[in-house]
Amino acid sequence: MSSNEARLNELEMRVAFQDDTIQALNDIVADQQRQLEQLASMIKVVNRQVKSLDPGTSRSDGDEPPPPHY
């Protein structure tokens, strides 16, 4: 095998490895994007639930008598 053929084989192997790596990274990014979309959806649901809470059930500072040591 000539040195040019060896170089070509080496370059082809590197390109194949890089293609595999790029595909694996692309799969990871796509999975993370799906996870981010799911989390954003969950946050919207939680925000709606928090906003729908009855404000009468929460305690404010003025509603509670001071502790006995005051």
Side-chain angles (χ1 to χ4, degrees), residues 30-43:
D31 185 46
Q32 288 179 340
Q33 181 63 36
R34 281 190 295 274
Q35 289 177 357
L36 285 172
E37 290 169 356
Q38 288 175 342
L39 289 172
S41 176
M42 294 167 105
I43 288 172

Side-chain angles (χ1 to χ4, degrees), residues 3-4 10 19 33 38-40 42-43 46 51-52 54-55 67:
S3 66
N4 283 340
E10 176 67 25
D19 285 344
Q33 181 63 36
Q38 288 175 342
L39 289 172
M42 294 167 105
I43 288 172
V46 169
K51 288 178 183 178
S52 70
D54 182 18

Side-chain angles (χ1 to χ4, degrees), residues 16-59:
F17 177 75
Q18 288 176 352
D19 285 344
D20 290 343
T21 302
I22 289 170
Q23 185 60 47
L25 291 172
N26 188 50
D27 293 343
I28 291 169
V29 169
D31 185 46
Q32 288 179 340
Q33 181 63 36
R34 281 190 295 274
Q35 289 177 357
L36 285 172
E37 290 169 356
Q38 288 175 342
L39 289 172
S41 176
M42 294 167 105
I43 288 172
K44 287 179 184 178
V45 169
V46 169
N47 280 336
R48 280 195 299 265
Q49 289 175 346
V50 167
K51 288 178 183 178
S52 70
L53 289 176
D54 182 18
T57 60
S58 65
R59 293 185 176 179

